[in-house]
Amino acid sequence: MSKKILIVGGVAGGATSATRLRRLDETASIIMFERGPYVSFANCGLPYHIGEVIKERSNLVVTTKEALWNRYRIDVRTETEVIAVHPESKEVTVRAKDGSEYKESYDELILSPGAMPLTPPIPGINHELVKSLRNIPDMDKIKEIVDGGAKSCAVIGGGFIGIEVAENLIHRGLNVTLIEAAPHILAPLDTEISMICEKEMRDNGIELIINDGVKSFTEISGGIRTETASGRQIDADFVVAAIGVRPDTAFLKESGIELNPRGYIKVNERMATSADHIWAAGDAVETFDSVTGGAATIALAGPANRQARIIADNIMGINRTYKGSQGTSILQIFDLVAASTGNNERQLRQKGIDYRAYFVHPMNHATYYPGAMQLTAKILVDPQGKLLGAQAVGYEGVDKFIDVLAAVLWMKGDVNDLADLDLAYAPPFLSAKSPANMAGFTAQNDLEGLVKSRTFLQFESEYNKETDLIIDVREEVEFEQHALPGAINIPLNSLRERLGEIPAGKRLWTYCSIGLRGYTANRILTQHGFEAFNLAGGTRLLALGTVEETHTGGHKGKQDVMTTHEDGTQVLPEEHVQAAAEAVMAAAEPVRVIEVDACGLSCPGPLMKMKENMDKINPGEVLHIRASDPGFYEDVKAWARRTGTEVLSLSKAKGFVDVQLKKAASLEECILPVDPTCQQPSKNKTLVVFSGDLDKAIASFIIANGAAAMGGKVTMFFTFWGINVLRKSTPVSVQKNFIESLFGRMMPRGAGKLGLSKMNMAGMGPAMIKKIMKDKNVDSLESLMMTAQKNGVELVACQMSMDLLGLKLEELIDGVKVGGVGYYLGDAEESAVNLFI
Ligand SMILES: Cc1cc2nc3c(=O)[nH]c(=O)nc-3n(C[C@H](O)[C@H](O)[C@H](O)COP(=O)(O)OP(=O)(O)OC[C@H]3O[C@@H](n4cnc5c(N)ncnc54)[C@H](O)[C@@H]3O)c2cc1C
C-alpha cells in the first residue's frame, strides 16, 4: 500500500527528504507544509544578495512549488503552518493561509522546521528598525532599507551570519559597527584564529566592538541607538541582530515528542524521534558529536541535507544511520577565508579532554610558482596523536586544507595519517609536503619527543622570569620590528657560534616567526644539553592579530593613516600621494621604479628582500615590492616608520600586499636616527586646545589631521572652554550640583553649537561659515573630528577643567581620554611640535 508522508518545513531538510522519497517511491503521497511563501530557497545566499554580490534575487529561489509538483508530484502547501502534532492519532493540525484550520493524517511524519533568530529580552529588541535575517522576506526588508539610502548599520553578533551581513553592507558603502558580547568573534574558532579574522574586518572598515554585550536599543531621530554594557552608544540607521538561533519547535510542546531542555528534538541514529513514525532533521535536532560522542546541535546546511536523505531511506526500507556531526564550516571575510572542523580548544577544555595544539604556516602551493599564499593552520590532537579538530585561516588553500583534515577526522585518523597522506601535487596546486603533511610532521616531532612545543597560552602560564630565558632566533631586522618582552636575539644561523652566551642552568624558550626556525634552534639547544621549549606557530600568530601589544618600541595603538577603498584596497591619503607625486615630478630625471616580487616568501623573506633591494637602489629611486605574506603589511609600515622611509603607497587586496617605498634623495630628506642612542627624532605633535570657538576648533582639527597623516602620535589636550568641543550634542543624565548644572546649560553643547571668535553675530556667523565650508567642500568640524579619531589622533580632556566646569566623561563623545597636566607634559616632552590654540 502506498504511504502518505507529511513533511513540516520546505527548505533544506524538508525539500531534500521530499525529492529523495519520490525518487525511491513513485506511489507515495507526499505533502510538504511551509509556513513562508517560498520553498527550497538558498538561505546561505541571503547576505550576498543584500550586498549585490548575487545580483539576481530569483537565483536564490532554487525551485518553486509548481516545479516540485511538475517534476516530483509533491503537494507543496506554502504559507501553511503545522500548529500541532498528535502522534497517538497520527495526525497534524494545520493552519491554512486564510486562517482556517484542518487536520491531516499521516503514515510517516518528517519534521524539519529549522531554527529561528534568538531574541533575548533586551529592551527595544522588538523595535521595527531591529532586523534579523532568516528567510527571503527578511532579506527583502533589509535590502529595501539599504536601497533606500541607509548610511549606517549596527550588526549584533560576530557569528557567521553577522559577519556575512556586515561584509555585505560594507560592499554597499554603509558604515558598519559589529558588536560581539564574547571576547572574540566566531565561536567555532580559537582566539588566535579569530583575531586574524577580526583584523581583516577592521582593515576593511568594519568597526568592531568585542567583549561588550548590548544593553538596549532606543529610537533616536532618524534611526536607532544601540547601547552596550560598557556604556558605548552606537547610532545607526538600523540594526541587524544575528545573536544566534533557537529551534523552531514551539508547535511540538504538547506532542509528547521528546525535546531537550533547550527545545531541540531528540533523535536516534536513524533520525527517528521518540514518537513512532515521526522523524526529524536539520537545525531543530539534537544529534551527537562524531569526534567526542557528546550531544551536539549543529545549525549547518550539510548535516540537514544528509539527515533528511537518511530519513527518506529509512522510511523506504533502506536501513541507514547518521554517524554524527563534526561541524565542518567555512566563512569568507572579504578576501580572507577561515574554516574549522571538529572541536576547538574551548570545547575540549569544557569537556575535560586532554589535548595538544600545533600550528603551521604553510604555503598553499610551491613557493617558486607565482601566486603562492601562506595560510595559518592549527590542529588539535589527543596525547596519542588522534585528531580532535582543525582550523585554518588564509587567502588561498584554506578550503582544501580543511576538507582534507575533515576527511581524516571523519576516518578517525591521527597525526601519522596526516604525515603519510598522499595528495595530488604539482607546483600550481600544492607543495610536495602539503599543509596537511606539515601539520602531521609538526605534531609527530612533538609527540615523539624531538621538540617540546608550547602554545602562547601555555607560555603565559609557564614562563618564569627568574629561571627562564627567551631566545628570539629571527634575524636582527625582524627582532627590531617587534619582539617578546625580555627576549634576547640570537639569529638561528649564528646560534651554534654563540652558545657560550647562554647562561647555563636557564630554561630556554625559543621562537621565530612561524615556528620552523624555532624548532631547528630547539633541536640545536637540546642536543647541547639545554632544556628548551619552542613556541608553536611563532610570532606570526601575534603579528597577524596583536602586533601592537608586543611591540618593543612601545608603539601601542594604531598610527594607521590608510583609507579603505570600495574594492578593499587601502591607500595613503590623497595629500600623501600628491606630495609623493610632486616630489617625483620635481626630480630632473624620471624616477626609476624597481620591481621586486616577494610572493611565496614567508616571513622574514619579504622584509629581508625589501631591505636588500633598498640597500641596492639609488637615492630618489622607488622600490615596488609585492608579497603574499599577510604579516608584511604591518611589518613594512613599522619598518618605514622606524627608518623614516617614505611609503608612497601601501595596499592590501586579494591576499597580496603591494608597497612602494622611496629611498631618501638627500640627507635632508632622510630622517634616520641621529644620536648615538639611535633614538629617532620625534614625529609626535601635541596641541593644547584652550579655545571653545568654532573657527579655532576647525583650525585645530585641520592641523591635527595633517599631523596624523605625516605619521607620529598626535595628542590634542582640551582644557577650559576647549572641552566644549568634545561635548555630546544631546543632554546626558548625570548627577550634578546646582552650579555645575547651570554651567552645563550655559556652555555650548558640542561641535555643532560653537560660536565664532569674531563676527559671531548672534549665531549668524557660524551658520554662514558652515555654509561656505560646505560650498567649498571643506569638511565640517564634526567630520574633521571623526577623521581625526579614525586616524588615531588622541583626544584628551583635562581632568582639572572638567572638575571646574562640572563636566562628566559620559557627556563627552566616545573615545575621549581624561588626563591631567602630567599626561599632557609627558606627551609634549616627546613631541617635536607643540601648539597652543
Ligand atoms: C543567512 C543564513 C546564511 C547561512 N549560511 C550557511 C552557510 O554558509 N553554510 C551552512 O552550512 N549553513 C548556512 N546556514 C544554515 C542553513 O541554512 C541551515 O542549517 C539549514 O537551512 C537548516 O535546514 P532545516 O531544514 O533544518 O531548516 P530551514 O532550511 O531553515 O527550513 C525550515 C523551514 O521550516 C519552516 N517551518 C518551521 N516551522 C514550521 C511549521 N510549524 N509549519 C510549517 N513550516 C514550518 C520555516 O518557515 C522554514 O522555512 C545559513 C542560514 C542563514 C539564515
Side-chain angles (χ1 to χ4, degrees):
M1 209 184 76
S2 72
K3 285 187 167 135
K4 181 177 177 188
I5 303 162
L6 305 186
I7 301 172
V8 182
V11 190
T16 297
S17 278
T19 50
R20 175 77 175 169
L21 284 167
R22 173 60 71 229
R23 289 192 189 99
L24 296 176
D25 185 354
E26 260 303 282
T27 66
S29 157
I30 305 169
I31 304 173
M32 189 162 80
F33 300 101
E34 169 52 52
R35 185 170 50 206
Y38 301 95
V39 283
S40 197
F41 61 86
N43 28 19
C44 309
L46 302 176
Y48 298 95
H49 182 56
I50 295 172
E52 295 190 336
V53 176
I54 298 173
K55 296 240 180 300
E56 295 298 326
R57 181 180 179 279
S58 57
N59 288 349
L60 298 173
V61 183
V62 180
T63 188
T64 60
K65 65 187 215 173
E66 291 74 25
L68 284 169
W69 175 255
N70 292 339
R71 183 160 299 176
Y72 298 102
R73 289 293 183 271
I74 295 166
D75 176 359
V76 177
R77 301 184 191 171
T78 50
E79 294 174 270
T80 303
E81 185 173 4
V82 172
I83 55 171
V85 174
H86 317 286
E88 58 304 332
S89 59
K90 291 177 82 176
E91 285 177 316
V92 298
T93 306
V94 181
R95 184 178 293 143
K97 191 177 171 182
D98 61 7
S100 61
E101 289 179 12
Y102 61 92
K103 286 202 170 149
E104 193 73 62
S105 65
Y106 62 81
D107 295 318
E108 305 288 341
L109 172 65
I110 300 175
L111 307 172
S112 194
M116 55 198 310
L118 265 181
T119 46
I122 300 171
I125 196 159
N126 294 318
H127 191 281
E128 57 171 2
L129 287 177
V130 180
K131 304 289 178 198
S132 57
L133 182 60
R134 188 75 210 167
N135 49 38
I136 291 190
D138 290 345
M139 174 194 77
D140 289 340
K141 283 183 209 147
I142 296 175
K143 190 153 189 297
E144 197 184 313
I145 298 178
V146 179
D147 293 347
K151 297 269 181 299
S152 56
C153 178
V155 177
I156 320 300
F160 289 92
I161 296 177
I163 292 175
E164 286 177 356
V165 168
E167 170 178 344
N168 279 285
L169 293 177
I170 290 278
H171 292 325
R172 297 292 309 274
L174 273 74
N175 290 322
V176 181
T177 305
L178 189 142
I179 304 159
E180 167 60 56
H184 292 285
I185 60 166
L186 288 169
L189 304 176
D190 285 321
T191 305
E192 319 86 358
I193 310 283
S194 299
M195 285 169 73
I196 297 170
C197 301
E198 286 165 6
K199 183 166 181 347
E200 183 76 8
M201 288 169 68
R202 290 192 170 111
D203 285 350
N204 281 283
I206 294 176
E207 184 172 354
L208 194 56
I209 298 173
I210 49 177
N211 215 3
D212 199 1
V214 172
K215 201 168 73 183
S216 65
F217 300 104
T218 329
E219 185 170 328
I220 52 168
S221 153
I224 186 147
R225 170 168 296 162
T226 305
E227 184 158 354
T228 67
S230 75
R232 288 185 74 149
Q233 294 181 335
I234 298 97
D235 294 348
D237 292 336
F238 70 110
V239 166
V240 176
I243 302 170
V245 291
R246 65 181 165 84
D248 195 353
T249 53
F251 71 108
L252 298 175
K253 250 190 186 150
E254 309 298 325
S255 69
I257 296 171
E258 193 185 352
L259 307 178
N260 81 3
R262 292 193 294 146
Y264 285 89
I265 308 167
K266 290 211 164 212
V267 288
N268 66 15
E269 56 187 21
R270 298 182 74 228
M271 304 310 296
T273 69
S274 61
D276 287 345
H277 303 285
I278 303 184
W279 313 77
D283 289 1
V285 303
E286 176 193 286
T287 55
F288 62 99
D289 180 329
S290 60
V291 185
T292 57
T297 54
I298 308 266
L300 288 170
N305 279 279
R306 292 196 305 279
Q307 292 162 2
R309 188 173 187 272
I310 287 171
I311 292 173
D313 286 0
N314 282 323
I315 289 176
M316 291 302 168
I318 305 170
N319 195 20
R320 235 185 261 289
T321 54
Y322 186 63
K323 310 279 184 325
S325 301
Q326 57 188 38
T328 308
S329 57
I330 190 159
L331 173 73
Q332 181 173 304
I333 308 171
F334 297 93
D335 293 327
L336 194 76
V337 182
S340 74
T341 187
N343 286 230
N344 62 28
E345 282 198 63
R346 227 172 302 117
Q347 291 164 326
L348 292 171
R349 276 198 300 270
Q350 269 166 15
K351 294 175 186 174
I353 296 172
D354 193 9
Y355 68 91
R356 309 274 183 275
Y358 301 104
F359 294 91
V360 284
H361 304 277
M363 290 292 174
N364 69 319
H365 62 60
T367 52
Y368 54 81
Y369 188 84
M373 293 278 188
Q374 193 169 41
L375 55 133
T376 291
K378 174 179 187 178
I379 61 166
L380 296 158
V381 305
D382 75 8
Q384 285 70 47
K386 191 170 156 242
L387 197 58
L388 298 171
Q391 295 159 51
V393 63
Y395 293 94
E396 296 284 344
V398 170
D399 51 345
K400 185 189 273 196
F401 174 83
I402 213 70
D403 281 346
V404 169
L405 268 284
V408 174
L409 185 65
W410 190 251
M411 309 301 285
K412 314 279 179 223
D414 62 16
V415 297
N416 299 321
D417 294 313
L418 288 179
D420 293 344
L421 272 180
D422 189 0
L423 302 178
Y425 159 65
F429 304 106
L430 208 67
S431 299
K433 284 185 269 187
S434 76
N437 291 145
M438 293 298 290
F441 299 152
T442 305
Q444 261 184 348
N445 286 339
D446 180 61
L447 291 170
E448 291 173 2
L450 269 184
V451 62
K452 286 184 193 161
S453 288
R454 291 287 186 274
T455 62
F456 278 91
L457 272 182
Q458 289 169 317
F459 168 72
E460 256 178 46
S461 62
E462 291 178 27
Y463 171 66
N464 180 338
K465 206 160 73 200
E466 308 304 321
T467 56
D468 297 3
L469 179 70
I470 312 169
I471 305 181
D472 183 326
V473 298
R474 300 173 304 159
E475 295 302 313
E476 213 171 303
V477 62
E478 296 170 86
F479 183 75
E480 280 168 5
Q481 302 308 309
H482 51 82
L484 291 184
I488 62 162
N489 180 217
I490 307 182
L492 176 63
N493 290 354
S494 52
L495 182 60
R496 287 185 184 83
E497 289 74 49
R498 294 176 59 183
L499 285 174
E501 293 174 26
I502 303 171
K506 286 266 181 196
R507 192 170 69 154
L508 307 178
W509 294 82
T510 54
Y511 76 88
C512 62
S513 60
I514 63 169
L516 195 58
R517 282 173 290 171
Y519 160 56
T520 309
N522 199 280
R523 292 295 305 141
I524 295 172
L525 291 167
T526 47
Q527 289 182 71
H528 281 85
F530 291 96
E531 185 192 0
F533 298 116
N534 186 39
L535 281 170
T539 53
R540 166 57 46 85
L541 291 175
L542 300 176
L544 290 175
T546 60
V547 71
E548 275 88 10
E549 284 166 27
T550 59
H551 212 291
T552 47
H555 281 290
K556 293 205 175 153
K558 290 196 171 177
Q559 296 174 8
D560 207 339
V561 290
M562 302 293 149
T563 309
T564 304
H565 281 192
E566 265 177 24
D567 62 358
T569 310
Q570 291 192 308
V571 293
L572 283 169
E574 193 56 32
E575 59 272 24
H576 254 206
V577 178
Q578 190 64 32
E582 278 166 14
V584 168
M585 297 293 283
E589 303 265 328
V591 173
R592 196 166 75 102
V593 178
I594 293 89
E595 301 284 343
V596 173
D597 182 5
C599 293
L601 295 182
S602 56
C603 187
L607 203 61
M608 307 285 283
K609 198 156 185 174
M610 179 200 71
K611 173 122 188 356
E612 183 190 312
N613 282 280
M614 282 301 281
D615 289 346
K616 275 192 218 153
I617 68 173
N618 298 314
E621 288 179 344
V622 171
L623 184 79
H624 171 214
I625 182 159
R626 165 169 271 217
S628 55
D629 169 19
F632 184 59
Y633 185 75
E634 293 298 340
D635 284 351
V636 75
K637 276 198 274 179
W639 181 85
R641 259 202 311 265
R642 282 171 171 259
T643 56
T645 302
E646 191 175 353
V647 181
L648 297 184
S649 71
L650 175 61
S651 65
K652 191 169 81 158
K654 305 228 172 291
F656 290 103
V657 178
D658 280 279
V659 61
Q660 284 199 314
L661 299 165
K662 186 184 166 211
K663 187 156 178 172
S666 63
L667 269 181
E668 289 75 50
E669 258 191 58
C670 176
I671 51 165
L672 284 168
V674 287
D675 73 20
T677 56
C678 283
Q679 291 289 319
Q680 288 181 24
S682 175
K683 290 177 119 191
N684 299 353
K685 278 123 198 145
T686 337
L687 286 86
V688 180
V689 185
F690 176 86
S691 166
D693 295 329
L694 176 66
D695 40 353
K696 292 181 184 167
I698 292 171
S700 312
F701 276 97
I702 289 177
I703 295 170
N705 283 334
M710 290 168 72
K713 184 182 173 192
V714 181
T715 307
M716 297 179 82
F717 189 74
F718 293 81
T719 183
F720 270 91
W721 316 119
I723 297 191
N724 290 319
V725 180
L726 303 178
R727 288 184 78 188
K728 283 180 183 151
S729 56
T730 45
V732 177
S733 96
V734 280
Q735 283 272 315
K736 290 192 180 199
N737 62 32
F738 175 71
I739 298 184
E740 286 174 345
S741 302
L742 204 64
F743 249 107
R745 277 200 293 264
M746 283 162 58
M747 292 185 305
R749 207 182 282 283
K753 298 276 164 36
L754 303 180
L756 283 178
S757 62
K758 291 202 167 77
M759 300 198 304
N760 192 46
M761 299 179 294
M764 268 171 62
M768 284 162 67
I769 275 281
K770 284 176 193 169
K771 160 109 184 43
I772 295 168
M773 285 171 73
K774 198 169 170 210
D775 292 348
K776 304 254 177 209
N777 230 358
V778 177
D779 277 351
S780 66
L781 175 57
E782 288 88 338
S783 91
L784 285 168
M785 289 169 71
M786 270 163 58
T787 311
Q789 285 193 300
K790 220 165 125 191
N791 287 344
V793 173
E794 193 172 62
L795 308 183
V796 184
C798 166
Q799 180 69 67
M800 183 273 296
S801 305
M802 289 198 32
D803 293 344
L804 273 182
L805 303 177
L807 289 171
K808 313 283 177 225
L809 182 59
E810 298 90 302
E811 294 178 87
L812 305 185
I813 57 170
D814 288 347
V816 172
K817 274 188 188 168
V818 176
V821 70
Y823 189 97
Y824 156 66
L825 288 174
D827 272 12
E829 239 169 44
E830 286 172 21
S831 298
V833 174
N834 189 10
L835 300 175
F836 187 95
I837 298 174

mmCIF file of all heavy atoms in Angstrom, residues 109 188 380 460 673 740 812:
data_model
loop_
_atom_site.group_PDB
_atom_site.id
_atom_site.type_symbol
_atom_site.label_atom_id
_atom_site.label_comp_id
_atom_site.label_asym_id
_atom_site.label_seq_id
_atom_site.Cartn_x
_atom_site.Cartn_y
_atom_site.Cartn_z
ATOM 1 N N LEU A 109 5.735 10.969 9.414
ATOM 2 C CA LEU A 109 5.821 12.441 9.523
ATOM 3 C C LEU A 109 7.289 12.850 9.658
ATOM 4 O O LEU A 109 8.018 12.306 10.495
ATOM 5 C CB LEU A 109 5.031 12.922 10.754
ATOM 6 C CG LEU A 109 5.153 14.388 11.128
ATOM 7 C CD1 LEU A 109 4.568 15.296 10.045
ATOM 8 C CD2 LEU A 109 4.425 14.678 12.458
ATOM 9 N N PRO A 188 33.294 29.051 16.702
ATOM 10 C CA PRO A 188 33.935 27.774 16.363
ATOM 11 C C PRO A 188 35.469 27.868 16.305
ATOM 12 O O PRO A 188 36.148 26.844 16.267
ATOM 13 C CB PRO A 188 33.386 27.437 14.969
ATOM 14 C CG PRO A 188 32.159 28.261 14.821
ATOM 15 C CD PRO A 188 32.384 29.496 15.629
ATOM 16 N N LEU A 380 44.400 20.051 16.577
ATOM 17 C CA LEU A 380 44.288 19.649 17.979
ATOM 18 C C LEU A 380 44.232 18.128 18.008
ATOM 19 O O LEU A 380 43.436 17.528 17.270
ATOM 20 C CB LEU A 380 43.015 20.241 18.582
ATOM 21 C CG LEU A 380 43.032 21.772 18.613
ATOM 22 C CD1 LEU A 380 41.636 22.351 18.694
ATOM 23 C CD2 LEU A 380 43.877 22.268 19.767
ATOM 24 N N GLU A 460 52.344 31.801 28.642
ATOM 25 C CA GLU A 460 51.923 32.807 29.624
ATOM 26 C C GLU A 460 51.860 32.234 31.027
ATOM 27 O O GLU A 460 52.255 32.873 31.993
ATOM 28 C CB GLU A 460 50.532 33.331 29.244
ATOM 29 C CG GLU A 460 50.609 34.703 28.614
ATOM 30 C CD GLU A 460 49.215 35.167 28.220
ATOM 31 O OE1 GLU A 460 48.273 35.039 29.022
ATOM 32 O OE2 GLU A 460 49.115 35.628 27.091
ATOM 33 N N PRO A 673 67.900 57.696 12.377
ATOM 34 C CA PRO A 673 68.341 58.049 13.713
ATOM 35 C C PRO A 673 69.610 58.880 13.686
ATOM 36 O O PRO A 673 70.509 58.618 12.904
ATOM 37 C CB PRO A 673 68.613 56.683 14.342
ATOM 38 C CG PRO A 673 67.749 55.755 13.609
ATOM 39 C CD PRO A 673 67.654 56.292 12.218
ATOM 40 N N GLU A 740 27.076 73.346 38.781
ATOM 41 C CA GLU A 740 27.521 72.528 37.640
ATOM 42 C C GLU A 740 26.420 72.440 36.570
ATOM 43 O O GLU A 740 26.701 72.546 35.372
ATOM 44 C CB GLU A 740 27.878 71.120 38.123
ATOM 45 C CG GLU A 740 29.193 71.065 38.892
ATOM 46 C CD GLU A 740 29.461 69.679 39.505
ATOM 47 O OE1 GLU A 740 28.517 68.857 39.588
ATOM 48 O OE2 GLU A 740 30.604 69.440 39.894
ATOM 49 N N LEU A 812 30.942 63.495 27.207
ATOM 50 C CA LEU A 812 31.858 63.727 26.080
ATOM 51 C C LEU A 812 31.673 62.638 25.023
ATOM 52 O O LEU A 812 31.194 61.549 25.331
ATOM 53 C CB LEU A 812 33.308 63.727 26.572
ATOM 54 C CG LEU A 812 33.628 64.707 27.707
ATOM 55 C CD1 LEU A 812 35.112 64.694 28.009
ATOM 56 C CD2 LEU A 812 33.179 66.126 27.349
#
